[in-house]
Amino acid sequence: MKIEQVSESVYVVAGTNVNWALVSDERGVTVVDAGYPADTPSVLKSVTEIGRDLADVAAVVVTHAHLDHIGAIPALVEQLRVPVYTGAEEVRHAKREYLQQITPVQMVQRLGTRRGIVWVGQTLRACAGHIGMSVPSAAPLDADTLAALPGGLVEVPTPGHTNGHTAYLMPSEGVLFSGDALVTGHPLLRETGLQLLPGFFNHDEAGTLASARGLGTLGAEILVPGHGQPIRRDLSDRLGEFGS
């Protein structure tokens, strides 16, 4: 686990090949995504590492319901009784009314390279015993609820990676939580920098690209991706170049 403070209120935490974020202000802490199931102890510890108590956690907001973004939610709900919010369509995905996620066959296909072998092994260990996880308490967010949470976030629908994928903008500090709509790195990517995840991760590749391009219109100054390093310099120009 590595914690990086990227603005006055926002901390980005790198877990098992995935990020989650903590937004901490006088109202408490909003957890943005929740790592893999095996990251659960680190998610809980990260809250105390930034000087807050677990009782300060006000809610979890989820960009999308893939296993690497919902792993610690059962513990947060059971131990702290925190609400879980995501986009209205993604609620159905979180409750596993349907599943849009890399298939076992697609994972096996990654075993053709050393990079893929390492990633598959890490992923299986991070998900062990929790492949069928769902989030039955997930609820659709609305603008007023989201604005009242620590950080005062704004919903940004970004369908493509999943049908209900949702990014979040924190206008007060210019921070954009892009989830997997736009990333800066991944173990299966050869290069770092603004890009999409490999196509087999995306339910709708064209939709993912369109949503990523739309993020360039938000005027954000700091990007917190679901995978890879956050970006704090020249973000507007770099997003503009990506969208051209």
Side-chain angles (χ1 to χ4, degrees):
M1 178 180 70
K2 177 183 177 182
I3 302 176
E4 179 181 357
Q5 185 172 3
V6 297
S7 71
E8 181 179 353
S9 305
V10 177
Y11 300 80
V12 182
V13 190
T16 305
N17 299 326
V18 70
N19 302 327
W20 60 91
L22 306 173
V23 184
S24 174
D25 66 17
E26 68 281 356
R27 292 173 287 185
V29 177
T30 298
V31 179
V32 183
D33 287 337
Y36 278 104
D39 287 319
T40 295
S42 294
V43 173
L44 299 176
K45 184 179 180 182
S46 67
V47 175
T48 60
E49 287 287 305
I50 67 167
R52 303 301 298 256
D53 295 326
L54 287 175
D56 294 331
V57 176
V60 183
V61 296
V62 178
T63 60
H64 64 294
H66 284 165
L67 287 175
D68 54 338
H69 294 260
I70 64 172
I73 287 177
L76 290 165
V77 171
E78 292 167 13
Q79 296 182 28
L80 306 175
R81 301 291 188 265
V82 298
V84 180
Y85 299 109
T86 190
E89 178 58 33
E90 198 65 13
V91 167
R92 296 180 59 228
H93 190 209
K95 294 182 177 182
R96 294 304 185 247
E97 294 179 16
Y98 61 85
L99 182 62
Q100 295 176 337
Q101 188 160 275
I102 185 172
T103 67
V105 170
Q106 289 173 318
M107 289 196 72
V108 169
Q109 290 170 343
R110 310 281 74 80
L111 296 175
T113 66
R114 178 176 295 276
R115 187 188 300 268
I117 291 170
V118 171
W119 175 78
V120 169
Q122 291 171 336
T123 300
L124 291 177
R125 288 191 294 273
C127 294
H130 300 278
I131 298 298
M133 175 183 290
S134 64
V135 186
S137 65
L141 49 80
D142 60 67
D144 291 340
T145 298
L146 199 54
L149 293 177
L153 305 180
V154 174
E155 175 187 12
V156 183
T158 43
H161 184 66
T162 65
N163 284 351
H165 190 288
T166 303
Y168 300 96
L169 179 67
M170 182 179 175
S172 62
E173 296 181 14
V175 180
L176 174 63
F177 304 90
S178 64
D180 287 2
L182 186 62
V183 302
T184 63
H186 187 275
L188 296 181
L189 292 169
R190 294 185 178 276
E191 299 179 356
T192 59
L194 287 175
Q195 57 194 304
L196 303 184
L197 285 170
F200 53 82
F201 282 121
N202 300 319
H203 178 69
D204 175 358
E205 183 78 353
T208 305
L209 179 59
S211 288
R213 286 174 169 166
L215 295 177
T217 67
L218 300 177
E221 299 174 0
I222 301 168
L223 178 73
V224 176
H227 303 272
Q229 296 291 320
I231 296 176
R232 288 182 284 182
R233 295 175 54 190
D234 304 321
L235 177 59
S236 295
D237 290 342
R238 294 166 79 171
L239 280 171
E241 291 171 2
F242 181 87
S244 61

